[in-house]
Amino acid sequence: MSQDALRRRAREALATGAERAPARAHFRAMGIDPARLDGPIVGVASTWTGTMPCNLNHLELSARVADGVAAAGGVALGFNTIAVSDNQSQATPGMRASLISREVIADSIELMAHAHDFDALVCIVGCDKTVPAALMALARVDKPAVVLYSGPMRAGRLRGRTVTIQDVWEAVGAEERGLIARAELDELERHACPGAGTCAGHFTANTMAVALDCLGLACIGDGLVPADELEAKGAAAERAGALAVRLAGSGPTARRFLDRRALLNAMAGIAASGGSTNGILHLLAIAREAGVPLTLDELAGVGAGTPVVASLAPSGRFMAEDLHRVGGTAALIRELVRGGYVDGSAPTVGGATLAEATSDAAVPDGEVLFTVEEPFKPTGALHALRGNLAPDGSLVKLAAGRRYQQGPARVFDSEEACTDAVRAGVVREGDVLVVRYEGPAGGPGMREMLSVTASVVGAGLGESVALVTDGRFSGATRGLMVGHVAPEAARGGPLAVVRDGDTITIDIDAKRLTLELGEDELARRLSTWQQPLLPEAGGVFARYRALVGSASEGAVLLPYSSR
């Protein structure tokens, strides 16, 4: 008998079959009448954690989802998985756990769905690895599902201006260079993050919230309801629960919303909102889990060819709450459908197409959200660069400013070494900082370089110093910063043989990242390279290092990696 047939037999016996009496005994222990087990059973995956404000409201939202499930005639079974705070772990060895946690979260949801054979799932997500992790898990289990994003934090206010965690990081660099007083940094720290929710700017978490709506796996507009709008957010949770009950059994399954069309729509939403380079990394991973052929260059092509129609931090003026105020993702999607950048015939989990679901959305206000004819920026900010320094590709988010830099390399074998150099004042205008052995395997875990980039900007060098790394960048990063260089240094990529003083050229228009060396000299260096001693890695870190593939393919684990 097939595994599917065995599952159907077990599910059919759950309510009354003698062989499932032990299972019903446990349901009774939880106060669930077995008579209800003939109806839809909905797994509610929460990524609550008390270690950060980003996901702090998940337990309350999970309870409201359960209310929605019960009111619609279903049984909600809640469970939790982990979440790592990028901000809390930023610039520490703990940051190595961040990207690795994406795989662990996806594994956790997949295992629970397999073990308990839910009829449908609601995944409550927030801080940025939880969004792609849930989508990766849903691609694997392919059950009916709804995803609910838990909402952004409000921006802080200080002396009449809007402030976020980005300002705090950049102020650290400014304080260390003596550009501001410690008292000013302390005051900013106290005001930047006023309450629960994901980071207020359009950093990676809110980037992925936009992607969710463009995929069609969420109730459009519910995600960016701010976390502190308790009743509105609770109502969104109840809607998600009720919808999951309606989908259970006969509704479309998750992969319908994770096909090539949907993923390209998500990329257009990421690009049009000025989103993070991490969005491309995660879409590549989701595509591989869903069995969808999709390349770095294809996603970056959409990223470069889509106009930026939202003025959102870090490259614009406004915050996620402001986008919600002027119509939210529905207004963004409507404009992109109108302009031909999003395929409006793609389905949504509610049953309507993207075009139908957003047809009555607000028109662009001209301050936060713009038309495609008169965009905030005429071309996209996300670009893939290749060349002899990145044969398999790299990514840059060009928020503003220069599109070309050629300068001497300053080489560092860790994030900490580079940050220390910037903060010590030894980095000069025109330098191209190289941070290597921070890739998926080298780290392991492909840390974000926010401490470096924020220190560069805070020190007043953001317009003259560039950075090239096999690590990642936070969505709060700005400046000419090239990441995701592949192959990574730890696996013998050309980044491993760059030397201090070598000339590096970054050319956005030509889409090239070049180490100005002759082919023979580069080949000679590569032939004599030996892998240095990498940071010690045991347990899950060792397993990740051994199995992870290239960032250019989403940094997924075997068997999906082609490494």
Side-chain angles (χ1 to χ4, degrees):
M1 186 178 291
S2 71
Q3 291 298 306
D4 283 345
L6 288 171
R7 285 185 177 279
R8 285 195 300 273
R9 186 174 74 179
R11 182 69 178 85
E12 289 166 0
L14 183 60
T16 59
E19 66 271 34
R20 300 302 306 275
R24 290 194 298 277
H26 265 192
F27 279 110
R28 290 180 188 277
M30 295 187 291
I32 297 172
D33 184 345
R36 298 175 59 202
L37 299 178
D38 268 339
I41 297 177
V42 178
V44 182
S46 165
T47 53
W48 176 87
T49 176
T51 61
M52 58 180 170
C54 313
N55 297 17
L56 207 56
N57 60 344
H58 284 206
L59 293 183
E60 291 81 2
L61 292 178
S62 180
R64 294 292 292 271
V65 169
D67 290 343
V69 169
V75 173
L77 299 180
F79 63 95
N80 210 75
T81 182
I82 67 164
V84 170
S85 168
D86 285 17
N87 184 65
Q88 297 281 27
S89 61
Q90 198 76 243
T92 75
M95 186 62 187
R96 293 192 174 95
S98 176
L99 187 59
I100 297 175
S101 76
R102 185 188 71 180
E103 316 305 310
V104 175
I105 297 163
D107 292 349
S108 299
I109 297 172
E110 178 191 11
L111 287 170
M112 289 296 287
H114 181 87
H116 295 279
D117 198 22
F118 306 121
D119 299 309
L121 285 154
V122 175
C123 296
I124 304 171
V125 294
C127 195
D128 50 287
K129 304 310 172 294
T130 64
V131 183
L135 294 171
M136 290 163 69
L138 293 175
R140 296 175 190 174
V141 303
D142 196 26
K143 289 179 177 285
V146 182
V147 184
L148 173 66
Y149 182 71
S150 55
M153 178 189 297
R154 299 283 183 184
R157 299 289 297 176
L158 179 61
R159 298 177 185 171
R161 69 184 180 101
T162 299
V163 292
T164 72
I165 196 67
Q166 174 190 350
D167 297 281
V168 182
W169 277 103
E170 292 178 1
V172 169
E175 190 272 339
E176 287 176 338
R177 295 296 295 271
L179 301 178
I180 65 171
R182 174 58 190 269
E184 187 175 342
L185 173 61
D186 292 344
E187 185 180 26
L188 180 58
E189 172 196 324
R190 289 191 292 270
H191 289 85
C193 299
T198 59
C199 292
H202 196 57
F203 312 145
T204 304
N206 290 324
T207 293
M208 295 308 296
V210 170
L212 270 179
D213 281 6
C214 293
L215 289 170
L217 259 173
C219 296
I220 295 176
D222 283 353
L224 289 187
V225 174
D228 68 355
E229 290 191 16
L230 302 182
E231 190 48 47
K233 204 77 209 185
E238 291 185 9
R239 277 193 294 275
L243 179 55
V245 171
R246 179 158 64 86
L247 295 171
S250 59
T253 57
R255 285 199 179 195
R256 186 178 179 194
F257 308 98
L258 298 174
D259 61 7
R260 180 179 176 85
R261 172 175 59 178
L263 292 166
L264 291 176
N265 279 346
M267 185 66 241
I270 289 170
S273 57
S276 166
T277 53
N278 284 318
I280 292 182
L281 181 79
H282 296 323
L283 289 183
L284 287 169
I286 295 161
R288 276 150 184 77
E289 298 287 3
V292 176
L294 196 60
T295 68
L296 169 67
D297 289 324
E298 287 175 315
L299 289 175
V302 174
T306 303
V308 180
V309 296
S311 174
L312 300 173
S315 57
R317 293 174 51 203
F318 296 98
M319 303 297 150
E321 65 185 275
D322 298 306
L323 177 59
H324 176 68
R325 171 175 52 80
V326 300
T329 50
L332 174 72
I333 292 170
R334 178 182 181 274
E335 184 61 20
L336 293 177
V337 169
R338 189 183 69 81
Y341 295 98
V342 158
D343 185 342
S345 67
T348 69
V349 73
T353 65
L354 276 177
E356 291 166 346
T358 60
S359 61
D360 59 352
V363 298
D365 69 313
E367 186 177 27
V368 180
L369 191 64
F370 297 77
T371 65
V372 294
E373 291 84 7
E374 297 182 3
F376 177 57
K377 294 179 181 176
T379 58
L382 297 171
H383 303 267
L385 308 183
R386 292 183 183 266
N388 68 352
L389 195 51
D392 293 343
S394 62
L395 281 173
V396 61
K397 178 182 176 182
L398 189 70
R402 64 202 191 282
R403 303 177 67 86
Y404 179 93
Q405 180 157 337
Q406 184 176 80
R410 296 290 302 273
V411 182
F412 305 92
D413 287 349
S414 71
E415 176 189 10
E416 288 84 358
C418 185
T419 302
D420 290 346
V422 175
R423 292 175 177 174
V426 298
V427 171
R428 302 284 183 258
E429 291 186 3
D431 284 348
V432 178
L433 308 179
V434 173
V435 182
R436 62 191 179 192
Y437 301 112
E438 291 285 7
M446 201 180 182
R447 290 193 290 179
E448 292 182 346
M449 303 288 110
L450 182 57
S451 69
V452 177
T453 60
S455 292
V456 167
V457 172
L461 297 170
E463 295 303 315
S464 61
V465 169
L467 173 63
V468 176
T469 180
D470 50 11
R472 295 182 296 126
F473 295 122
S474 164
T477 292
R478 56 195 177 113
L480 187 55
M481 312 295 178
V482 183
H484 305 227
V485 172
E488 62 175 291
R491 289 188 171 152
L495 201 67
V497 298
V498 179
R499 298 174 181 172
D500 280 332
D502 286 345
T503 298
I504 292 176
T505 302
I506 303 167
D507 190 334
I508 304 298
D509 294 326
K511 300 189 183 303
R512 303 297 291 173
L513 178 63
T514 307
L515 177 62
E516 302 295 346
L517 282 183
E519 291 183 13
D520 291 344
E521 173 61 14
L522 181 56
R524 186 191 67 77
R525 290 189 190 182
L526 288 169
S527 69
T528 60
W529 172 81
Q530 292 184 329
Q531 186 183 78
L533 186 65
L534 298 173
E536 185 177 352
V540 67
F541 296 94
R543 185 162 62 247
Y544 186 87
R545 174 176 281 165
L547 297 178
V548 71
S550 171
S552 65
E553 297 178 346
V556 293
L557 304 185
L558 291 170
Y560 305 104
S561 166
S562 60
R563 180 174 65 84

